Amino acid sequence: MDTSEYLSMFLAESREHLEKLNLAVIRIEERPDDRDTLDEIFRSAHSLKGMSATMGFGQVAALTHKMEDVFEVLRERPDGVPRSTTDVLFECLDVLSAAIESIAAAGSEQLEPDALIARLAGLIEAEPVAETKPTEPDGAALVVPQPVLDAHATGRVLHVCVQLDAAVLMPSVRAYMVLAAVGDHGRLVHSQPEYEQVESFDGRRIDAWVASEHELGTLHQAVSLVADVASADVREFEPEQAAGPAPSTQPGAGRAPAEAARIESKNTSATVRVDAERLDQLMHLMGELVVDRTAVESLASQADVAGLSQAVADLTRSSQALQTLVMQVRMIPVEVVFLRFPRLVRDLSGKLGKQVELVLTGRETELDRTVVDTLGDPLVHLVRNSLDHALEPPEERRAAGKPETGTLEIAARHAGGNVVITVRDDGRGIDPARVAGKAVERGLIPADQAGSVDMVRAVELLFSPGFSTAEQTSDISGRGVGMDAVRTAIRELGGALVMTSELGQGTCVQIRLPLTLAIMPALLVEAGGTPLAIPLDRVERTLNLSQQVVRLVTGNPMLVLSDGVLPLLELSQALGYPGSDAGAYVVIARGNDRRLALVVDDLVGQRELVTRPLPAGVGDGLALSGGAVLADGSIALIVDCDQLAETGGRRLGHPHPTTLANAA
């Protein structure tokens, strides 16, 4: 059959199985007696092999099949798994991952698995597998055959009947997964379709007979969790009822888990995969709807038509509910990014000779899909830096009175309309003196200022373009890319990055990101005749400038507040636009770890804006993060408060006459 239409599904599910296998092998390396993880390994390997064979990718299927044999070795070992074995398995997983990406890019496997298959065979020969019950059928007939009756005569046989969803796209793959799940719970005596004929299966019903001592509900749940299973029935096989469904002999205590699994299977079959481009298009259209809604609201406020205001209010309520739902559809857990770190930490810590415990918290925290897709590389860079530079080798930690095993924590949590991701280690911390020395070498600061560099200044220097404290770049961290690239990537997502450290105790990097990129609540202002938008989550409050106390300090106007003194920054000039004498309001906003007092001409009000990235070359060097189309068709530029906090002071122009009058 033509499998090309199923390629996207195959690629997505293959990547998921490879991620699961990477994590599962790490867990088995740490806890070799974890039977649940071993079962998960077999299910993923079975599924990947079956899917690959069905799609015609024989090399992937062959390598996965040989890996199954090694997994069987792991299942039989009670005394742990040697690192040499898991190293080979991880190498196989890397090769399989590369093959899947090659299939995605070029449509072919580009895989030569013979050498790896030989190494896997060597592992099996070194540790022969004990005799186990076969998990594949022995070529029985398509009707209820004699082997089923024989098996029943000598023990308990369960009859599993599975009905696939009518809209299933890959019935042969699902049949393979069902039989694999059944085989994980006993000896598969016979099946319809037969195991060897699964690749050509195009039906919707799957029958299997398994010799098993498992509870009915356990087996029911296992097959019900397979995607596209509409219903499943598990009963004890009785010979006199071989021609039709047998009355369930399941005890009352077992019906509850079976029923729960049946409900769960219905929920599972109700989920569908949606192409990412369709989600992007859906969000784009939702954004257009928000713009149109704003325009209608503006026109309705100027018209005197009976019932119009109520109709517009209903439209607003409905479209806001739809907007919320569309955003929720695009949300995915940050675990998608976190899943790559156990393997990364395991490999790099071994290469560096360090002992590291990885702690992952808040995996279920959800973010917009676009944010998650872009977040991976900056986080990988931070993790590599922690492993290479921050965390010490065991002997150094022991000499410093620390546990030999260092801790690297990656955590995610919701904070209002944002998600905060923290990367924290208990390593060396930042040494201001060392940073200052490197800064002098690179000409970033004069030598006579090196002694005055404190921790705050040292952190600022670390974000200088291309700055690194490494003596030479390596393939682990640095690689000629500094922390400035990480912060730039976070800013492009509309987020902020703050680093803190304590010498000898560790370093903490905190990333604050918006939940979604496409639609953003903002305070719309005018400055220098230009509409500008300040992200609402950065706004603390607004003030009437004429009612505030302003003083000149070394020629610069300072706003005197009850909770501190802030330099006044004319927003239009700070962004490179002509200045204005009409500054009447102040917006107190947050940028990085400091507050800003932004002088604007007018406060237009709060708006929900559909954000768009700026074209290449537009706004380079300015504190702008994007733009948005307003209801009247004009463009509002979005202020980057973090960059403004760094560059705004250097752009400060002449004070307004209003400011001088108040200062006097």
Side-chain angles (χ1 to χ4, degrees):
M1 62 178 177
D2 181 13
T3 59
S4 59
E5 60 181 302
Y6 308 131
L7 182 61
S8 60
M9 179 188 297
F10 165 76
L11 294 172
E13 294 197 9
S14 295
R15 290 173 179 134
E16 289 178 5
H17 287 306
L18 288 172
E19 281 186 350
K20 290 180 181 178
L21 285 170
N22 271 285
L23 291 174
V25 172
I26 289 176
R27 289 201 298 267
I28 284 299
E29 190 176 49
E30 298 171 349
R31 300 187 298 275
D33 59 343
D34 188 340
R35 304 301 299 181
D36 290 340
T37 299
L38 282 169
D39 290 342
E40 181 181 338
I41 285 177
F42 272 92
R43 282 194 297 270
S44 291
H46 268 309
S47 300
L48 182 58
K49 181 179 74 172
M51 290 164 51
S52 303
T54 301
M55 295 293 294
F57 300 120
Q59 303 293 356
V60 171
L63 181 55
T64 310
H65 178 70
K66 184 56 66 175
M67 290 176 67
E68 282 186 293
D69 295 339
V70 177
F71 292 144
E72 186 66 33
V73 173
L74 302 185
R75 178 178 265 177
E76 297 300 318
R77 286 189 60 121
D79 56 338
V81 182
R83 189 179 181 93
S84 58
T85 298
T86 52
D87 284 342
V88 176
L89 290 173
F90 280 131
E91 189 174 342
C92 292
L93 292 174
D94 289 340
V95 169
L96 287 172
S97 180
I100 296 301
E101 297 310 317
S102 176
I103 292 170
S108 61
E109 299 171 89
Q110 298 183 4
L111 171 64
E112 295 293 338
D114 293 347
L116 279 173
I117 288 176
R119 292 175 64 186
L120 292 170
L123 294 175
I124 297 169
E125 292 170 4
E127 304 243 3
V129 181
E131 285 296 321
T132 58
K133 297 179 181 180
T135 59
E136 296 189 1
D138 52 8
L142 288 176
V143 295
V144 177
Q146 187 63 38
V148 174
L149 301 176
D150 293 342
H152 177 265
T154 58
R156 180 172 179 256
V157 174
L158 302 181
H159 177 202
V160 181
C161 179
V162 170
Q163 192 71 33
L164 298 179
D165 190 274
V168 61
L169 295 178
M170 301 177 68
S172 59
V173 174
R174 300 313 181 201
Y176 188 95
M177 296 171 70
V178 167
L179 295 181
V182 171
D184 285 342
H185 291 79
R187 180 171 64 90
L188 186 59
V189 179
H190 181 68
S191 66
Q192 296 177 349
E194 292 184 357
Y195 202 89
E196 294 84 353
Q197 299 173 342
V198 167
E199 291 184 17
S200 60
F201 176 69
D202 195 30
R204 296 297 180 269
R205 173 168 171 164
I206 304 159
D207 288 273
W209 289 265
V210 57
S212 174
E213 296 303 320
H214 282 279
E215 293 291 332
L216 302 182
T218 301
L219 196 57
H220 189 290
Q221 185 173 16
V223 296
S224 297
L225 290 176
V226 175
D228 293 322
V229 168
S231 64
D233 186 65
V234 182
R235 307 179 181 211
E236 292 196 14
F237 172 72
E238 296 295 341
E240 63 273 12
Q241 295 167 330
S248 176
T249 56
Q250 178 176 293
R255 285 198 187 96
E259 185 61 27
R262 184 176 289 108
I263 293 172
E264 185 171 358
S265 75
K266 291 181 180 179
N267 292 337
T268 302
S269 63
T271 61
V272 294
R273 292 182 181 272
V274 179
D275 186 83
E277 291 184 3
R278 293 189 180 184
L279 290 179
D280 292 340
Q281 183 66 12
L282 182 62
M283 180 58 84
H284 173 74
L285 293 174
M286 186 66 242
E288 296 298 326
L289 179 59
V290 171
V291 173
D292 295 340
R293 181 188 73 200
T294 304
V296 170
E297 290 172 344
S298 177
L299 292 173
S301 66
Q302 304 169 22
D304 185 14
V305 178
L308 179 60
S309 60
Q310 182 60 46
V312 171
D314 293 340
L315 172 64
T316 300
R317 183 173 60 256
S318 299
S319 60
Q320 285 177 340
L322 178 61
Q323 174 183 328
T324 300
L325 183 60
V326 170
M327 289 182 175
Q328 289 174 345
V329 169
R330 287 175 53 94
M331 303 291 275
I332 58 176
V334 75
E335 181 182 29
V336 174
V337 178
F338 281 11
L339 286 178
R340 71 179 66 179
F341 295 126
R343 170 76 188 279
L344 177 65
V345 171
R346 182 255 186 202
D347 290 348
L348 293 186
S349 60
K351 185 174 183 178
L352 294 166
K354 298 179 179 180
Q355 299 175 13
V356 181
E357 178 186 4
L358 175 64
V359 179
L360 299 175
T361 57
R363 301 186 193 192
E364 69 287 350
T365 305
E366 291 187 331
L367 265 172
D368 186 276
R369 182 190 64 81
T370 306
V371 179
V372 172
D373 290 345
T374 314
L375 183 62
D377 288 343
L379 282 180
V380 166
H381 190 95
L382 294 175
V383 169
R384 286 177 175 271
N385 272 351
S386 293
L387 292 171
D388 194 12
H389 298 305
L391 290 167
E392 314 94 328
E395 59 276 8
E396 184 178 333
R397 293 182 62 86
R398 189 167 53 248
K402 296 181 177 181
E404 292 187 0
T405 300
T407 300
L408 175 62
E409 180 185 5
I410 308 174
R413 60 181 175 86
H414 282 119
N418 296 274
V419 168
V420 176
I421 298 178
T422 304
V423 180
R424 179 185 290 107
D425 63 68
D426 63 347
R428 300 185 180 99
I430 296 172
D431 185 350
R434 187 175 179 218
V435 173
K438 288 291 182 181
V440 171
E441 288 180 16
R442 297 174 181 270
L444 296 176
I445 60 173
D448 59 355
Q449 293 184 10
S452 62
V453 172
D454 57 8
M455 184 62 75
V456 174
R457 178 62 174 144
V459 169
E460 291 179 359
L461 289 170
L462 287 177
F463 287 102
S464 302
F467 184 87
S468 175
T469 57
E471 298 298 332
Q472 59 184 11
T473 60
S474 68
D475 62 344
I476 295 179
S477 66
R479 294 166 292 170
V481 179
M483 287 295 297
D484 65 306
V486 176
R487 185 165 64 180
T488 298
I490 297 301
R491 282 179 172 172
E492 289 175 353
L493 294 174
L497 184 151
V498 177
M499 175 185 288
T500 57
S501 183
E502 184 177 350
L503 184 60
Q505 300 302 313
T507 302
C508 177
V509 178
Q510 189 177 87
I511 298 172
R512 182 177 293 267
L513 294 163
L515 283 174
T516 182
L517 290 181
I519 301 177
M520 176 188 72
L523 175 64
L524 193 62
V525 302
E526 284 190 4
T530 302
L532 298 168
I534 304 173
L536 198 61
D537 66 319
R538 298 305 184 92
V539 176
E540 286 189 1
R541 51 181 163 155
T542 60
L543 303 170
N544 190 317
L545 184 58
S546 63
Q547 299 174 2
Q548 306 305 311
V549 177
V550 178
R551 296 285 184 263
L552 286 175
V553 179
T554 63
N556 293 318
M558 306 291 289
L559 179 65
V560 181
L561 301 173
S562 60
D563 55 352
V565 178
L566 301 174
L568 281 172
L569 189 64
E570 185 182 319
L571 185 55
S572 58
Q573 285 191 354
L575 296 176
Y577 293 96
S580 169
D581 295 337
Y585 299 93
V586 177
V587 178
I588 307 298
R590 296 185 304 278
N592 279 339
D593 57 348
R594 66 189 68 179
R595 294 196 299 167
L596 302 168
L598 307 177
V599 179
V600 299
D601 301 341
D602 192 19
L603 302 175
V604 179
Q606 181 179 337
R607 297 288 187 274
E608 285 188 323
L609 302 179
V610 181
T611 62
R612 296 284 188 272
L614 294 176
V618 176
D620 287 349
L622 300 179
L624 299 172
S625 61
V629 179
L630 301 179
D632 60 1
S634 60
I635 303 295
L637 297 173
I638 300 171
V639 178
D640 185 338
C641 293
D642 293 328
Q643 189 171 352
L644 196 62
E646 296 178 15
T647 62
R650 295 195 294 271
R651 294 181 179 272
L652 186 62
H654 297 292
H656 293 296
T658 305
T659 302
L660 292 175
N662 281 320

